Structure formats: C-alpha cells, structure tokens
Amino acid sequence: MLRQVARAPRPGAPRLATPASRNSARFCFVAPLLYCSTVIRRAAAIAAARAAAALSRRLRFGGGTALPGLVAQRIHPDIVRELAAGLGAGSVLVTGTNGKTTTARLLRNILQEAGLKPVANRAGSNMMRGIAAALAAGARWDGRFRSPQERIGVFEVDEATLPHAAAVRPRAVLFTNLFRDQLDRYGEVETVAAVWRAAAREFPPDVTLVLNADDPAVAALGDVAGGPVVFFGLADRAAAGQTLDHAADARWCSGCGAELAYAAVFYGHLGHWACPQCGRSRPQVQVAGTDLEVGGQAPPITSGGQAPPITSGGQAPPSTSGGQALSLTGRGEGGPAGLRLAITTPAGGLTVRLPLTGLYNAYNAVAAAAAATALGIGPPAIERGLGRFTAAFGRQERLVVSGREVQMFLAKNPAGLNQVLRTITANGLQKDIALFLNDNIADGRDVSWIWDVDFELLSGHTRSLTVSGSRAWDMALRLKYAGLGSPGDVEPDAALALRRALQRTPEGATLYVIPTYTAMLAVRNLLGRWAGRGAFWERD
Amino acid sequence: MTKLKLRLAHLYPKHMNIYGDRGNILCLRRRCEERAIAFQADELAPGDALAADAYDMVFIGGAQDREQRRVAEDLLKVKGAALREAVEGGVTLLAVCGGYQLMGRFYRTAEGEELPGAGVLDIWTVHPGPRARRFIGNVVVKWRGATLVGFENHGGRTHLGAGVRPLGRVVAGFGNNGRDGGEGAVYKNLFGTYLHGSLLPKNPQFADHLIATALARRYGDVPLPPLDDRIESTAHAEAVRLATRRGIIGIGGRK
C-alpha cells in the first residue's frame, strides 16, 4: 500500500491523509490541513537543507555534505521517501566495502550518456543524511524535480545503511564486494552479510540485484533474492593469481562451511571459486570483464612548472603561482597508463580505456556496466559513459602542486590497501610515498587492520617514505616490520608531513598519498588552501 | 652453548585472524631471530593433532562467531586434552580475544546458548544480550609496574574463577567485564587477554616476557639482550596518551 503511494507519479500526493480517511467526516476537515502541513514542512526542509549547505560551504565544515541532510531529516523525517518518489526513472543503490564511490560515479556517467539526469549523493556521504541532502539539493521548492521523467537517483550507500535506503524504492541494487572493514564500526563481516541477506530478502520482486559473482559472500545473496539477478565478474584468468591473501574473509562455503577452492584469485577473496564439498560454485555471469590490460603507473609527468620551489622548513606553506600550479586533472596530461578492458553484456560487447589503474577498478567498471544493463541501457551508452570518466574524490585523483604531481589513493581496509600497493608498485620504479593513518570514527578507531596489509610489497619500491596521521607511530611500527622507513620519516602533523613529503619528491615526479578517510579530507583541504583555492569538495 | 629454539604452535590461523593477529607472530619471530634464537611456527588447522610436549608456546587469536564455532568444536574433539596437558605442564600460551574466551569453561551467547570452551582456563564468558553495550575502544592496562596498550572489541563479559588472576588492571577501557577493573587472565603460563592492535608489537616488554617464559621451561633463565625499541616505545607511549586523553571525553573511555 505504502509502496504504491510512494511510487505514484505525484510526489505531492497527500499520503498522510490515508489514516485519517477512516473517518470520512473528519477527513474532509483534517486532510487539507495535513496536506498543507506536509507541503510546508517539506518546503521548509528543502529550504533549510540548502541554507545549511551554503553555510557549511562558507564555513568549510566537512564539505557541506552531512549537515544539510541532517537538517532536512530533522524537519521532515520522511523527506527521502517523498522526494525519491519524484524521480521518474527510479533509483539505483550501490553498496559494498570497496568501490562504491568510483562505481557510482561510473554509473552516473553511463546514465547521462543514456539521456538521463542523475541525482547523486556526494562521494563518501553515504548515510541517509547524504541521500537526503542530494535529493533536497536537486528538488524544487515544491519537492518535485525539473524534467522528472529523466531523473534517476544514483546513491552510494554505506553497508549498514542499506536497509534504511530501501526508502528510495530502488529499481536495482548493486553489491560490489564484502571485505573486513572497520570492525569496530560495522561489527563482524558476517554481521554485514546478515544485514544484506535480510535486506535482499525484503526487496520487492521488481528490484533487480546486481551481484559480484566472484565474491562468494555477495554471490550468496542470489539465493535469497525474490526478483531478477544480474551477476558480473572478471573472466580473464590471465590477470589472476592462484592464492588467497593471508587474511581473506570469505574463504568458507556459505552452504556447507568447507574451505573454498579457487581456480583463479583476482584480489582478496574475489575469483573463480567452487566448493569441493557441496559443489556450490561461482554463478554464471551475464556481464563479464575480459581482455584486461592493467597498466602500471605512467612515468613522471612534466607539469606546467611555473610554481616556485617549495619553501623548506618554517610555517609558510609551499607557495604556488595564484593557484595556477594546482589543478584537478582527472585525466591528467601524460596520465597514467590506465586500464583497458573489454566487457561483454547480453546486448553486446564494448571496449573501454579508463584513466584508473588496478584490478579493483576493472571490477568497478564491470559493476557499473552490469548495473546499467540491469536498467536496460545498451553497450553504446555504457562505452561512452565509462570512456569519459574522471577520478572521484580522493580515488586516484591527480593534482599538481608546486611542480609535483600528487596522486591520492584512499585506502581504509586491508583488501583495498593491498590493491593500492600492488597498483603503485606495478611498474617497478622507485616511488615517493606518504602514508596518513588516522583513527577517527570515520576511519575506524581500531588500527590493527594495518597488520593484515602486505606493506612488504613496497620493499625496494620507495625513494622516500613519509608517515603521518594520529596513528603515525603505529604505521611506522608496521613499516619497520616490513623493513621500511625509520623514525625520521614520522611526522604526525598532516601539514608538516605533506610539506616534507613534497620536498622529498623531485620536481616533476609524483607523490603518492595514501590516506585513510579523514586524512584524505585533511590532505585535500591543505592542498586547496595552499593553492589559494576554495575547498575542493565542492567539485566532488 | 646449544642453539636456542622457540617452537610455536599457531592454532587455526585461517579461522582465527580477525584483528591483525598475524602481527603477534611476526613480533615473536622478529624478537627471537634478532637474538639468534631460532623460531619455528607451525600452523595447526581443525583436525590437525596437537602433541602436548611438541611446543614451547601456543598462540590462538580472535575470530568471528561462525569460525569460532568451528574452532570450538575442534578444541572439544581434537586438541582440548593436549592443550590442557600442555598448560598444566608449563607451556606458554597466549590467547587473544575470541581465543581467550574459547580457553574458558563456556561462552553464553547473546541468545542464551551455552557453548562449551576448551576448559583450559577457569573463566567463563556471558554475553548479556543483543541490546547490551559492546566494549569497543582503546585500552591501557597496568601490568607488572608497566603498561600494556591495545584495542578491545567484545560483547561478552568474562569472569575469573578462584585460581585465576587478571593479567592487569584497567587504566582506560573496559577489560574483562567492565566492572571489576581486571583485564585478561593468567594461569600458570597461560595468558589470556582482550587486547589486540596487534598486541605484541606495541608491547615489546610483554612479548619478551612471553619469550623468556616459553624458553625457561627447556633452557632455564635465558637473558634477552635489549633491542632497538625506539619506534615501539613511541608507539606505545602515543597509544597511552591517546587512550587516556580520549577517556576524558568519554570516547572509548571507561564509563
């Protein structure tokens, strides 16, 4: 009942009148009042959210992503459900441990190429308040959208928030992967899996699940799905290894508990798996990534070069020539060797080249193609959409500062960081690297996960190493065990550390910054300030 | 002088590895090998037999519920008796988090189901129910005039029997049950604790204590020359500072 109303093409419909209609005499009197109050409250929520967004941008609070949504929800708790109902082309949810932001961004591009107008939450702002903020920012005062028929929601959703996000009534829900991540926040991996199973069971049969077949924990959601399922995965075994990481999570069969056997492992526990005991195995995929060329990093670029040399020591930040030296270059001149792959879908194949590296980004591209397929979008739009990709906030994003290129690789869990390390060291050259480990709530308070990361991969690949963040010394200790770094590499203060890391990076070379989430915000803010620019997050 | 060797049994590494427990093994290896003590670590899976006298030290880490059930079953059927014999015979055992709980008499789940433990240690653990607060945060423990630092994350409340002493007193954090100020348990040379992070790298004194205890059974007192612990000491001091500072504003602090 509720669903039908929420789906109705009239977002302003007096839903609240339904209970009152039991008494028709009262209804005549109460309904208009309720309707009016809903309209007013909704308009107030939208207005307040916009004011909060403007204010927090002005005050440079965390990018203005959380507050507006919080305000809107406080004023009108049903704001997400009501506004999402006005998205004529429905909504897609993207969830999973790694790859949410990049996958959602890829999907957005595809949808635009298909003639749709996506409404999307900002990078990483993936709780309900982030969705509320996105909807409030995109809607008109009356809660409707301009050109509603072309409007489609693309929301990345925190793993634990998924059940609440069902309020948007998605057409498709994409699950990227499930790894151990911030156990102090999410609880055990199995806890997240249980939340997902319950959510998958609850979705109505018109919701398509888009599942990573290579992740046994995600593929198992197909067992409980009430509606259609689109499986995706990588088919190119030439790009795979044979052994699981030492701390692989889903190594046990979800059916019988036996240890899974892998014919190919792409990364973490993603691969071509089968249970030798009960015979469960990786499902047939409808959308597959083939012919992978996972490029290494490009040789150092020569930047614009007008920037004066970095001032050493003192409090002055590196000066730049009026912000000219700093630019967001998702593609970047002389960009990375990138990633090339072919994707097969039931409607035909396509080939793409992405300015991203690493197997994990091959998964992101195939995942986005699978979600688009689930929405009935054909290969041409997928190919165009993937082809015009620019890096997402902090995810292999490239900036140029004082003649050095800075490339940021957000990493917040063992599987993700292992992939980042493999990607950075792929071409065998020596690199300048800065690691930022924070333990704020958004990073995970528990830093023991760094002991599950194979920092040994960096051995022989570092020209300089700088270690920072609130848990810099924990990181330094982990690196010591990998035979890397020295006490002199540690500078807990982010600004000092970033300056030092830039000094240690030769002009024209690339500094690889590997931050946890809050450190990434701090680093980005610093780079923005030094260039005399506004906050970067406005560009998302 | 005979070449010293520490033989370690690492129990269930594929099942019990949730909180960077690998760091504990890396630490023991490093601190032995830097002192020219040979280090041998055997990984024992469910089904593998354990000989009570084959090892100087046993390590068991933490795990998720599902894996923990599998391990509990194996402890009952395969390794429990040898483990009891080893501990009674003075073998050093370090059990962290879920492994610590499993060494006890039983674990009562949030749903009230009672899972038998290995019965090596006279402790028992009770989860007060699904709505109970989980003990999550940084911990500082007073231990033999020094401190231990780590991170705890457990729903169960552990209680100690008469013959078991706590490993240390809680300075910041919750500890065994959030009530009696005790953290961990010591019985003979068995050390149980909720601290991970990983535990040993940041607590080199404790790591050395374990190594000395383990070697003493076969070789008598073995002097362990000091190592360059500058990074270890700074990381430890920083962890104490962060845990106690944040305790004041109540995040991860003791309530």
Side-chain angles (χ1 to χ4, degrees):
Chain A
M1 176 67 190
L2 214 77
R3 276 175 194 149
Q4 280 164 5
V5 176
R7 273 238 152 157
R10 295 167 295 122
R15 249 174 24 78
L16 283 179
T18 308
S21 64
R22 287 191 203 107
N23 181 330
S24 57
R26 264 178 68 202
F27 171 73
C28 299
F29 178 66
V30 173
L33 278 183
L34 281 172
Y35 177 62
C36 281
S37 84
T38 304
V39 168
I40 291 167
R41 227 177 20 211
R42 185 169 55 224
I46 292 168
R50 289 192 178 164
L55 183 69
S56 82
R57 267 198 302 272
R58 184 135 190 108
L59 299 177
R60 291 194 170 186
F61 288 163
T65 51
L67 187 63
L70 275 178
V71 169
Q73 283 183 297
R74 181 58 65 88
I75 294 171
H76 189 41
D78 220 20
I79 189 94
V80 167
R81 187 184 299 278
E82 285 186 15
L83 293 185
L87 298 165
S91 290
V92 190
L93 302 180
V94 178
T95 193
T97 306
N98 288 330
K100 290 186 288 287
T101 298
T102 299
T103 304
R105 198 178 169 90
L106 287 163
L107 181 57
R108 240 159 81 188
N109 285 3
I110 296 171
L111 297 175
Q112 280 167 349
E113 290 298 329
L116 293 167
K117 294 193 167 67
V119 174
N121 48 346
R122 281 169 176 268
S125 187
N126 54 23
M127 317 283 252
M128 288 310 285
R129 51 184 181 254
I131 298 175
L135 287 165
R140 295 188 313 202
W141 298 103
D142 62 359
R144 293 168 206 243
F145 292 89
R146 260 182 279 278
S147 47
Q149 289 319 308
E150 293 148 29
R151 287 287 177 171
I152 183 162
V154 181
F155 302 115
E156 69 158 279
V157 180
D158 177 89
E159 299 90 292
T161 299
L162 182 68
H164 308 287
V168 307
R169 292 287 288 113
R171 284 170 65 193
V173 183
L174 165 64
F175 294 83
T176 60
N177 48 53
L178 176 57
F179 294 107
R180 63 179 65 183
D181 183 24
Q182 303 180 20
L183 298 159
D184 57 310
R185 260 175 93 197
Y186 294 114
E188 302 180 340
V189 181
E190 180 52 33
T191 309
V192 177
V195 168
W196 283 3
R197 275 195 299 272
R201 220 174 266 128
E202 292 289 309
F203 285 126
D206 59 350
V207 176
T208 303
L209 297 191
V210 183
L211 303 176
N212 187 342
D214 294 351
D215 186 331
V218 170
L221 295 173
D223 299 344
V224 295
V229 176
V230 172
F231 283 109
F232 66 92
L234 295 184
D236 186 358
R237 288 192 184 182
Q242 300 296 320
T243 51
L244 284 178
D245 284 354
H246 63 268
D249 292 308
R251 60 167 78 226
W252 316 109
C253 176
S254 64
C256 71
E259 188 166 2
L260 296 173
Y262 279 79
V265 179
F266 291 102
Y267 80 91
H269 57 254
L270 307 188
H272 294 179
W273 54 273
C275 175
Q277 189 168 296
C278 72
R280 286 174 71 90
S281 64
R282 171 185 185 257
Q284 277 289 322
V285 300
Q286 284 79 51
V287 178
T290 64
D291 302 310
L292 254 75
E293 279 174 37
V294 184
Q297 291 295 295
I301 62 154
T302 46
S303 75
Q306 306 115 320
I310 296 165
T311 52
S312 54
Q315 289 304 302
S319 56
T320 55
S321 48
Q324 289 308 302
L326 196 147
S327 59
L328 280 174
T329 55
R331 281 165 204 272
E333 313 77 19
L339 179 70
R340 217 186 139 273
L341 78 161
I343 298 174
T344 59
T345 81
L350 57 114
T351 306
V352 287
R353 178 179 280 282
L354 290 165
L356 295 168
T357 52
L359 267 176
Y360 60 114
N361 279 312
Y363 271 107
N364 293 336
V366 178
T373 301
L375 298 171
I377 291 166
I382 296 175
E383 192 169 68
R384 288 197 306 275
L386 294 177
R388 64 176 189 82
F389 179 76
T390 56
F393 192 76
R395 283 84 172 167
Q396 300 197 7
E397 183 183 47
R398 297 151 61 95
L399 327 163
V400 178
V401 182
S402 302
R404 282 87 173 156
E405 183 172 293
V406 178
Q407 206 172 346
M408 239 191 299
F409 291 77
L410 174 68
K412 36 188 185 170
N413 49 53
L417 188 39
N418 277 334
Q419 274 294 293
V420 166
L421 297 178
R422 287 211 165 84
T423 302
I424 289 177
T425 56
N427 71 358
L429 297 176
Q430 297 224 313
K431 303 288 166 29
D432 298 288
I433 295 171
L435 290 153
F436 290 76
L437 177 64
N438 279 358
D439 69 341
N440 296 312
I441 288 167
D443 304 294
R445 308 267 310 149
D446 183 1
V447 296
S448 57
W449 63 274
I450 62 175
W451 290 90
D452 285 330
V453 177
D454 297 318
F455 286 100
E456 289 75 6
L457 287 166
L458 288 178
S459 186
H461 294 289
T462 58
R463 177 165 49 201
S464 72
L465 198 55
T466 306
V467 181
S468 186
S470 57
R471 286 289 184 169
W473 288 99
D474 276 83
M475 181 60 90
L477 183 53
R478 172 67 190 93
L479 293 171
K480 175 183 174 179
Y481 272 80
L484 296 161
S486 69
D489 295 331
V490 182
E491 173 48 69
D493 180 81
L496 294 175
L498 191 57
R499 191 174 308 139
R500 191 194 296 178
L502 282 166
Q503 282 165 12
R504 296 163 115 193
T505 305
E507 209 165 341
T510 300
L511 172 66
Y512 296 87
V513 177
I514 309 177
T516 54
Y517 188 74
T518 65
M520 188 262 288
L521 299 180
V523 168
R524 227 162 173 274
N525 195 18
L526 280 168
L527 295 174
R529 231 171 40 212
W530 292 351
R533 286 244 187 130
F536 279 119
W537 37 62
E538 285 168 29
R539 296 160 157 256
D540 155 68
Chain B
M1 181 177 157
T2 51
K3 166 103 170 148
L4 301 175
K5 183 175 186 181
L6 196 155
R7 303 164 306 176
L8 176 95
H10 185 183
L11 299 189
Y12 318 112
K14 281 185 187 172
H15 291 78
M16 310 287 280
N17 65 11
I18 193 73
Y19 295 113
D21 286 323
R22 184 174 72 130
N24 293 320
I25 309 296
L26 295 176
C27 178
L28 292 170
R29 175 180 295 282
R30 185 182 183 94
R31 300 188 76 81
C32 282
E33 289 178 351
E34 286 203 4
R35 292 157 168 145
I37 300 164
F39 185 83
Q40 171 201 327
D42 291 349
E43 303 196 336
L44 300 185
D48 295 347
L50 172 73
D53 202 38
Y55 296 100
D56 308 304
M57 197 192 291
V58 178
F59 174 77
I60 180 166
Q64 308 195 44
D65 281 346
R66 192 169 55 156
E67 279 93 23
Q68 211 152 305
R69 274 166 196 267
R70 183 78 209 284
V71 163
E73 220 181 278
D74 186 74
L75 281 171
L76 274 184
K77 288 184 190 150
V78 183
K79 297 190 186 63
L83 215 49
R84 282 191 292 276
E85 196 187 325
V87 168
E88 293 300 328
V91 168
T92 300
L93 190 153
L94 174 62
V96 175
C97 203
Y100 168 41
Q101 296 172 341
L102 281 176
M103 291 299 106
R105 282 167 28 200
F106 63 84
Y107 179 86
R108 192 180 301 147
T109 67
E111 292 73 35
E113 185 190 355
E114 210 159 280
L115 304 170
V120 179
L121 184 61
D122 183 17
I123 62 160
W124 60 96
T125 304
V126 176
H127 195 302
R131 302 183 64 84
R133 176 177 188 175
R134 210 174 157 82
F135 291 167
I136 302 178
N138 290 302
V139 191
V140 178
V141 174
K142 261 259 165 302
W143 170 78
R144 291 162 64 104
T147 46
L148 298 179
V149 295
F151 197 93
E152 64 183 326
N153 184 349
H154 53 109
R157 275 63 162 163
T158 296
H159 303 274
L160 275 47
V164 180
R165 288 174 293 123
L167 173 65
R169 311 297 307 172
V170 173
V171 177
F174 299 96
N176 283 333
N177 47 48
R179 287 220 182 131
D180 62 18
E183 203 295 319
V186 182
Y187 169 71
K188 298 203 168 188
N189 292 332
L190 188 165
F191 302 84
T193 178
Y194 276 114
L195 271 57
H196 59 263
S198 305
L199 171 66
L200 296 182
K202 251 184 301 183
N203 294 291
Q205 272 187 292
F206 185 53
D208 283 355
H209 180 70
L210 293 175
I211 293 170
T213 308
L215 294 176
R217 199 170 67 95
R218 276 204 295 155
Y219 305 104
D221 272 352
V222 175
L224 297 177
L227 302 175
D228 175 4
D229 283 339
R230 281 177 297 163
I231 293 182
E232 284 82 348
S233 308
T234 316
H236 183 107
E238 273 293 284
V240 171
R241 187 181 69 81
L242 291 170
T244 46
R245 185 195 65 181
R246 283 170 177 165
I248 295 166
I249 56 169
I251 301 169
R254 196 136 188 258
K255 287 283 147 68

